[in-house]
Each structure stands twice: as structure tokens, then as C-alpha cells.
mmCIF file of all heavy atoms in Angstrom:
data_model
loop_
_atom_site.group_PDB
_atom_site.id
_atom_site.type_symbol
_atom_site.label_atom_id
_atom_site.label_comp_id
_atom_site.label_asym_id
_atom_site.label_seq_id
_atom_site.Cartn_x
_atom_site.Cartn_y
_atom_site.Cartn_z
ATOM 1 N N PRO A 16 11.052 -2.649 112.551
ATOM 2 C CA PRO A 16 10.124 -2.123 111.564
ATOM 3 C C PRO A 16 9.130 -1.143 112.164
ATOM 4 O O PRO A 16 8.574 -1.374 113.278
ATOM 5 C CB PRO A 16 9.408 -3.396 111.055
ATOM 6 C CG PRO A 16 9.525 -4.346 112.133
ATOM 7 C CD PRO A 16 10.826 -4.085 112.864
ATOM 8 N N ALA A 17 8.867 -0.064 111.475
ATOM 9 C CA ALA A 17 8.026 1.028 111.991
ATOM 10 C C ALA A 17 6.616 0.523 112.306
ATOM 11 O O ALA A 17 5.947 1.023 113.220
ATOM 12 C CB ALA A 17 7.967 2.205 110.999
ATOM 13 N N ASP A 18 6.120 -0.473 111.559
ATOM 14 C CA ASP A 18 4.731 -0.958 111.779
ATOM 15 C C ASP A 18 4.585 -1.715 113.077
ATOM 16 O O ASP A 18 3.457 -2.005 113.475
ATOM 17 C CB ASP A 18 4.286 -1.808 110.601
ATOM 18 C CG ASP A 18 3.842 -0.946 109.379
ATOM 19 O OD1 ASP A 18 3.616 0.263 109.609
ATOM 20 O OD2 ASP A 18 3.738 -1.482 108.279
ATOM 21 N N ASP A 19 5.676 -2.078 113.751
ATOM 22 C CA ASP A 19 5.530 -2.694 115.086
ATOM 23 C C ASP A 19 4.911 -1.680 116.074
ATOM 24 O O ASP A 19 4.406 -2.090 117.102
ATOM 25 C CB ASP A 19 6.890 -3.085 115.631
ATOM 26 C CG ASP A 19 7.457 -4.345 114.959
ATOM 27 O OD1 ASP A 19 6.754 -4.893 114.107
ATOM 28 O OD2 ASP A 19 8.555 -4.786 115.360
ATOM 29 N N PHE A 20 4.963 -0.380 115.764
ATOM 30 C CA PHE A 20 4.444 0.650 116.633
ATOM 31 C C PHE A 20 3.041 1.104 116.243
ATOM 32 O O PHE A 20 2.459 1.992 116.926
ATOM 33 C CB PHE A 20 5.370 1.886 116.599
ATOM 34 C CG PHE A 20 6.750 1.602 117.125
ATOM 35 C CD1 PHE A 20 7.735 1.042 116.331
ATOM 36 C CD2 PHE A 20 7.062 1.963 118.398
ATOM 37 C CE1 PHE A 20 9.011 0.757 116.801
ATOM 38 C CE2 PHE A 20 8.361 1.742 118.956
ATOM 39 C CZ PHE A 20 9.327 1.150 118.149
ATOM 40 N N ARG A 21 2.476 0.555 115.167
ATOM 41 C CA ARG A 21 1.208 1.085 114.636
ATOM 42 C C ARG A 21 0.085 0.057 114.847
ATOM 43 O O ARG A 21 0.275 -1.134 114.626
ATOM 44 C CB ARG A 21 1.306 1.432 113.167
ATOM 45 C CG ARG A 21 2.405 2.466 112.870
ATOM 46 C CD ARG A 21 2.259 3.033 111.492
ATOM 47 N NE ARG A 21 1.093 3.890 111.388
ATOM 48 C CZ ARG A 21 1.104 5.193 111.661
ATOM 49 N NH1 ARG A 21 2.212 5.797 112.019
ATOM 50 N NH2 ARG A 21 0.008 5.893 111.545
ATOM 51 N N PHE A 22 -1.108 0.559 115.223
ATOM 52 C CA PHE A 22 -2.256 -0.280 115.514
ATOM 53 C C PHE A 22 -3.490 0.331 114.932
ATOM 54 O O PHE A 22 -3.664 1.544 114.846
ATOM 55 C CB PHE A 22 -2.435 -0.455 117.006
ATOM 56 C CG PHE A 22 -1.251 -1.142 117.682
ATOM 57 C CD1 PHE A 22 -0.185 -0.375 118.168
ATOM 58 C CD2 PHE A 22 -1.191 -2.511 117.827
ATOM 59 C CE1 PHE A 22 0.922 -1.004 118.747
ATOM 60 C CE2 PHE A 22 -0.102 -3.123 118.401
ATOM 61 C CZ PHE A 22 0.946 -2.368 118.865
ATOM 62 N N THR A 23 -4.383 -0.533 114.462
ATOM 63 C CA THR A 23 -5.736 -0.133 114.071
ATOM 64 C C THR A 23 -6.684 -0.388 115.208
ATOM 65 O O THR A 23 -6.622 -1.488 115.850
ATOM 66 C CB THR A 23 -6.183 -0.961 112.835
ATOM 67 O OG1 THR A 23 -5.234 -0.765 111.760
ATOM 68 C CG2 THR A 23 -7.558 -0.524 112.354
ATOM 69 N N LEU A 24 -7.524 0.587 115.500
ATOM 70 C CA LEU A 24 -8.489 0.417 116.597
ATOM 71 C C LEU A 24 -9.738 -0.241 116.019
ATOM 72 O O LEU A 24 -10.523 0.348 115.279
ATOM 73 C CB LEU A 24 -8.850 1.775 117.193
ATOM 74 C CG LEU A 24 -7.704 2.489 117.908
ATOM 75 C CD1 LEU A 24 -8.209 3.797 118.528
ATOM 76 C CD2 LEU A 24 -7.056 1.606 118.976
ATOM 77 N N LEU A 25 -9.958 -1.493 116.418
ATOM 78 C CA LEU A 25 -11.180 -2.200 116.012
ATOM 79 C C LEU A 25 -12.326 -1.894 117.000
ATOM 80 O O LEU A 25 -12.142 -1.914 118.185
ATOM 81 C CB LEU A 25 -10.916 -3.724 116.053
ATOM 82 C CG LEU A 25 -9.766 -4.251 115.144
ATOM 83 C CD1 LEU A 25 -9.718 -5.762 115.275
ATOM 84 C CD2 LEU A 25 -10.008 -3.824 113.695
ATOM 85 N N ASP A 26 -13.448 -1.573 116.387
ATOM 86 C CA ASP A 26 -14.627 -1.187 117.197
ATOM 87 C C ASP A 26 -15.206 -2.434 117.846
ATOM 88 O O ASP A 26 -15.640 -3.387 117.188
ATOM 89 C CB ASP A 26 -15.674 -0.541 116.307
ATOM 90 C CG ASP A 26 -16.852 0.015 117.042
ATOM 91 O OD1 ASP A 26 -16.939 -0.171 118.313
ATOM 92 O OD2 ASP A 26 -17.758 0.616 116.394
ATOM 93 N N ARG A 27 -15.250 -2.475 119.204
ATOM 94 C CA ARG A 27 -15.865 -3.570 119.935
ATOM 95 C C ARG A 27 -17.145 -3.114 120.644
ATOM 96 O O ARG A 27 -17.621 -3.804 121.513
ATOM 97 C CB ARG A 27 -14.833 -4.114 120.958
ATOM 98 C CG ARG A 27 -13.649 -4.858 120.308
ATOM 99 C CD ARG A 27 -13.973 -6.300 119.960
ATOM 100 N NE ARG A 27 -12.939 -7.005 119.243
ATOM 101 C CZ ARG A 27 -11.909 -7.617 119.791
ATOM 102 N NH1 ARG A 27 -11.758 -7.630 121.108
ATOM 103 N NH2 ARG A 27 -11.035 -8.278 119.039
ATOM 104 N N GLY A 28 -17.700 -1.949 120.235
ATOM 105 C CA GLY A 28 -18.959 -1.502 120.796
ATOM 106 C C GLY A 28 -18.750 -0.478 121.875
ATOM 107 O O GLY A 28 -17.953 -0.663 122.791
ATOM 108 N N GLY A 29 -19.495 0.671 121.813
ATOM 109 C CA GLY A 29 -19.386 1.712 122.797
ATOM 110 C C GLY A 29 -18.003 2.330 122.726
ATOM 111 O O GLY A 29 -17.490 2.668 121.704
ATOM 112 N N ASP A 30 -17.354 2.434 123.934
ATOM 113 C CA ASP A 30 -16.012 2.952 123.965
ATOM 114 C C ASP A 30 -14.965 1.837 123.957
ATOM 115 O O ASP A 30 -13.804 2.053 124.234
ATOM 116 C CB ASP A 30 -15.811 3.812 125.249
ATOM 117 C CG ASP A 30 -15.953 3.037 126.543
ATOM 118 O OD1 ASP A 30 -16.290 1.824 126.493
ATOM 119 O OD2 ASP A 30 -15.707 3.621 127.617
ATOM 120 N N GLN A 31 -15.391 0.616 123.598
ATOM 121 C CA GLN A 31 -14.550 -0.562 123.643
ATOM 122 C C GLN A 31 -13.815 -0.738 122.302
ATOM 123 O O GLN A 31 -14.422 -0.638 121.240
ATOM 124 C CB GLN A 31 -15.308 -1.805 123.986
ATOM 125 C CG GLN A 31 -15.943 -1.763 125.372
ATOM 126 C CD GLN A 31 -16.690 -3.063 125.673
ATOM 127 O OE1 GLN A 31 -16.457 -3.704 126.646
ATOM 128 N NE2 GLN A 31 -17.649 -3.366 124.808
ATOM 129 N N VAL A 32 -12.510 -1.004 122.382
ATOM 130 C CA VAL A 32 -11.690 -1.217 121.158
ATOM 131 C C VAL A 32 -10.749 -2.406 121.372
ATOM 132 O O VAL A 32 -10.523 -2.864 122.481
ATOM 133 C CB VAL A 32 -10.848 0.062 120.828
ATOM 134 C CG1 VAL A 32 -11.766 1.246 120.546
ATOM 135 C CG2 VAL A 32 -9.886 0.377 121.984
ATOM 136 N N ALA A 33 -10.229 -2.862 120.253
ATOM 137 C CA ALA A 33 -9.077 -3.797 120.254
ATOM 138 C C ALA A 33 -7.964 -3.158 119.463
ATOM 139 O O ALA A 33 -8.238 -2.451 118.459
ATOM 140 C CB ALA A 33 -9.496 -5.139 119.707
ATOM 141 N N LEU A 34 -6.723 -3.367 119.869
ATOM 142 C CA LEU A 34 -5.560 -2.848 119.177
ATOM 143 C C LEU A 34 -5.016 -3.900 118.232
ATOM 144 O O LEU A 34 -4.319 -4.835 118.652
ATOM 145 C CB LEU A 34 -4.495 -2.386 120.163
ATOM 146 C CG LEU A 34 -4.655 -1.014 120.771
ATOM 147 C CD1 LEU A 34 -5.866 -0.945 121.719
ATOM 148 C CD2 LEU A 34 -3.430 -0.544 121.524
ATOM 149 N N GLN A 35 -5.399 -3.789 116.974
ATOM 150 C CA GLN A 35 -4.986 -4.743 115.955
ATOM 151 C C GLN A 35 -3.618 -4.339 115.370
ATOM 152 O O GLN A 35 -3.452 -3.196 114.963
ATOM 153 C CB GLN A 35 -6.015 -4.818 114.847
ATOM 154 C CG GLN A 35 -5.690 -5.730 113.690
ATOM 155 C CD GLN A 35 -6.654 -5.567 112.521
ATOM 156 O OE1 GLN A 35 -6.878 -4.463 112.113
ATOM 157 N NE2 GLN A 35 -7.218 -6.649 112.041
ATOM 158 N N SER A 36 -2.718 -5.259 115.303
ATOM 159 C CA SER A 36 -1.429 -5.008 114.726
ATOM 160 C C SER A 36 -1.544 -4.658 113.245
ATOM 161 O O SER A 36 -2.291 -5.333 112.508
ATOM 162 C CB SER A 36 -0.490 -6.198 114.909
ATOM 163 O OG SER A 36 0.684 -6.078 114.139
ATOM 164 N N VAL A 37 -0.797 -3.652 112.775
ATOM 165 C CA VAL A 37 -0.805 -3.310 111.355
ATOM 166 C C VAL A 37 -0.067 -4.340 110.519
ATOM 167 O O VAL A 37 -0.513 -4.764 109.452
ATOM 168 C CB VAL A 37 -0.203 -1.892 111.151
ATOM 169 C CG1 VAL A 37 0.120 -1.655 109.694
ATOM 170 C CG2 VAL A 37 -1.199 -0.841 111.651
ATOM 171 N N ASN A 38 1.059 -4.806 111.026
ATOM 172 C CA ASN A 38 1.851 -5.771 110.226
ATOM 173 C C ASN A 38 1.543 -7.228 110.550
ATOM 174 O O ASN A 38 2.023 -8.124 109.822
ATOM 175 C CB ASN A 38 3.347 -5.496 110.367
ATOM 176 C CG ASN A 38 3.849 -5.342 111.808
ATOM 177 O OD1 ASN A 38 3.054 -5.369 112.731
ATOM 178 N ND2 ASN A 38 5.147 -5.196 111.962
ATOM 179 N N TYR A 39 0.721 -7.495 111.544
ATOM 180 C CA TYR A 39 0.211 -8.816 111.782
ATOM 181 C C TYR A 39 -1.321 -8.692 112.048
ATOM 182 O O TYR A 39 -1.773 -8.807 113.196
ATOM 183 C CB TYR A 39 0.877 -9.513 112.977
ATOM 184 C CG TYR A 39 2.354 -9.761 112.729
ATOM 185 C CD1 TYR A 39 3.322 -8.842 113.113
ATOM 186 C CD2 TYR A 39 2.781 -10.886 112.041
ATOM 187 C CE1 TYR A 39 4.676 -9.043 112.870
ATOM 188 C CE2 TYR A 39 4.138 -11.112 111.803
ATOM 189 C CZ TYR A 39 5.052 -10.179 112.203
ATOM 190 O OH TYR A 39 6.406 -10.398 111.952
ATOM 191 N N PRO A 40 -2.077 -8.446 110.986
ATOM 192 C CA PRO A 40 -3.494 -8.070 111.172
ATOM 193 C C PRO A 40 -4.384 -9.162 111.730
ATOM 194 O O PRO A 40 -5.537 -8.915 112.033
ATOM 195 C CB PRO A 40 -3.939 -7.629 109.787
ATOM 196 C CG PRO A 40 -2.975 -8.241 108.837
ATOM 197 C CD PRO A 40 -1.669 -8.353 109.563
ATOM 198 N N ASP A 41 -3.863 -10.388 111.799
ATOM 199 C CA ASP A 41 -4.648 -11.463 112.450
ATOM 200 C C ASP A 41 -4.386 -11.523 113.990
ATOM 201 O O ASP A 41 -4.904 -12.409 114.659
ATOM 202 C CB ASP A 41 -4.291 -12.837 111.850
ATOM 203 C CG ASP A 41 -2.844 -13.160 111.973
ATOM 204 O OD1 ASP A 41 -1.991 -12.215 112.099
ATOM 205 O OD2 ASP A 41 -2.488 -14.351 111.924
ATOM 206 N N ARG A 42 -3.650 -10.581 114.504
ATOM 207 C CA ARG A 42 -3.278 -10.533 115.930
ATOM 208 C C ARG A 42 -3.627 -9.181 116.563
ATOM 209 O O ARG A 42 -3.514 -8.165 115.930
ATOM 210 C CB ARG A 42 -1.815 -10.866 116.159
ATOM 211 C CG ARG A 42 -1.388 -12.243 115.709
ATOM 212 C CD ARG A 42 0.119 -12.399 115.709
ATOM 213 N NE ARG A 42 0.527 -13.766 115.280
ATOM 214 C CZ ARG A 42 1.037 -14.686 116.118
ATOM 215 N NH1 ARG A 42 1.210 -14.394 117.416
ATOM 216 N NH2 ARG A 42 1.350 -15.895 115.631
ATOM 217 N N CYS A 43 -3.988 -9.223 117.828
ATOM 218 C CA CYS A 43 -4.249 -8.037 118.627
ATOM 219 C C CYS A 43 -3.494 -8.089 119.946
ATOM 220 O O CYS A 43 -3.091 -9.182 120.376
ATOM 221 C CB CYS A 43 -5.743 -7.919 118.933
ATOM 222 S SG CYS A 43 -6.826 -7.619 117.512
ATOM 223 N N LEU A 44 -3.300 -6.887 120.561
ATOM 224 C CA LEU A 44 -2.745 -6.911 121.903
ATOM 225 C C LEU A 44 -3.784 -7.491 122.851
ATOM 226 O O LEU A 44 -4.968 -7.091 122.808
ATOM 227 C CB LEU A 44 -2.373 -5.481 122.339
ATOM 228 C CG LEU A 44 -1.201 -4.847 121.628
ATOM 229 C CD1 LEU A 44 -0.909 -3.474 122.219
ATOM 230 C CD2 LEU A 44 0.060 -5.705 121.743
ATOM 231 N N ARG A 45 -3.396 -8.380 123.728
ATOM 232 C CA ARG A 45 -4.308 -8.966 124.703
ATOM 233 C C ARG A 45 -3.487 -9.203 125.986
ATOM 234 O O ARG A 45 -2.239 -9.204 125.966
ATOM 235 C CB ARG A 45 -4.933 -10.259 124.217
ATOM 236 C CG ARG A 45 -4.015 -11.410 123.799
ATOM 237 C CD ARG A 45 -3.695 -12.397 124.923
ATOM 238 N NE ARG A 45 -4.797 -13.004 125.590
ATOM 239 C CZ ARG A 45 -5.303 -14.210 125.272
ATOM 240 N NH1 ARG A 45 -4.743 -14.930 124.282
ATOM 241 N NH2 ARG A 45 -6.300 -14.718 125.917
ATOM 242 N N HIS A 46 -4.170 -9.363 127.120
ATOM 243 C CA HIS A 46 -3.475 -9.730 128.320
ATOM 244 C C HIS A 46 -3.612 -11.190 128.570
ATOM 245 O O HIS A 46 -4.613 -11.844 128.227
ATOM 246 C CB HIS A 46 -3.999 -8.906 129.511
ATOM 247 C CG HIS A 46 -5.434 -9.217 129.878
ATOM 248 N ND1 HIS A 46 -5.763 -10.330 130.628
ATOM 249 C CD2 HIS A 46 -6.577 -8.584 129.584
ATOM 250 C CE1 HIS A 46 -7.104 -10.327 130.764
ATOM 251 N NE2 HIS A 46 -7.590 -9.292 130.164
ATOM 252 N N GLN A 47 -2.537 -11.787 129.085
ATOM 253 C CA GLN A 47 -2.526 -13.212 129.466
ATOM 254 C C GLN A 47 -1.596 -13.331 130.682
ATOM 255 O O GLN A 47 -0.417 -12.974 130.568
ATOM 256 C CB GLN A 47 -2.018 -14.078 128.303
ATOM 257 C CG GLN A 47 -2.194 -15.555 128.515
ATOM 258 C CD GLN A 47 -1.771 -16.345 127.283
ATOM 259 O OE1 GLN A 47 -0.609 -16.250 126.874
ATOM 260 N NE2 GLN A 47 -2.678 -17.095 126.717
ATOM 261 N N ASP A 48 -2.154 -13.785 131.755
ATOM 262 C CA ASP A 48 -1.404 -13.824 133.022
ATOM 263 C C ASP A 48 -0.903 -12.394 133.378
ATOM 264 O O ASP A 48 0.165 -12.194 133.916
ATOM 265 C CB ASP A 48 -0.252 -14.802 132.993
ATOM 266 C CG ASP A 48 -0.717 -16.222 132.770
ATOM 267 O OD1 ASP A 48 -1.794 -16.583 133.271
ATOM 268 O OD2 ASP A 48 -0.008 -16.954 132.040
ATOM 269 N N PHE A 49 -1.721 -11.415 132.957
ATOM 270 C CA PHE A 49 -1.494 -9.995 133.237
ATOM 271 C C PHE A 49 -0.249 -9.410 132.490
ATOM 272 O O PHE A 49 0.188 -8.314 132.770
ATOM 273 C CB PHE A 49 -1.415 -9.687 134.715
ATOM 274 C CG PHE A 49 -2.682 -10.091 135.434
ATOM 275 C CD1 PHE A 49 -2.636 -11.012 136.457
ATOM 276 C CD2 PHE A 49 -3.911 -9.549 135.071
ATOM 277 C CE1 PHE A 49 -3.812 -11.412 137.104
ATOM 278 C CE2 PHE A 49 -5.082 -9.911 135.690
ATOM 279 C CZ PHE A 49 -5.028 -10.843 136.723
ATOM 280 N N ARG A 50 0.286 -10.153 131.556
ATOM 281 C CA ARG A 50 1.300 -9.658 130.643
ATOM 282 C C ARG A 50 0.640 -9.315 129.321
ATOM 283 O O ARG A 50 -0.286 -10.055 128.893
ATOM 284 C CB ARG A 50 2.395 -10.725 130.452
ATOM 285 C CG ARG A 50 3.584 -10.269 129.588
ATOM 286 C CD ARG A 50 4.523 -9.371 130.367
ATOM 287 N NE ARG A 50 5.803 -9.271 129.694
ATOM 288 C CZ ARG A 50 6.120 -8.348 128.759
ATOM 289 N NH1 ARG A 50 5.196 -7.469 128.358
ATOM 290 N NH2 ARG A 50 7.309 -8.319 128.195
#
């Protein structure tokens, strides 16, 4: 699905953002054990 490639940039203050999934809006990209 094309929305696997799309993200909304959530403002976390200053130049800080979170990459929120478009098709799973309750989830963001995060690192865990550097993955």
C-alpha cells in the first residue's frame, strides 16, 4: 500500500519532529535496540 511510504511530521518543538504513519496514525517510527 502506498501509505506505507507516507508520514506526517509531528511537531516536537524546535527542529524536532516525529514521523507518524499515515495508515497507522497511532504509531510513529522509533528506534529500539538501534533498529
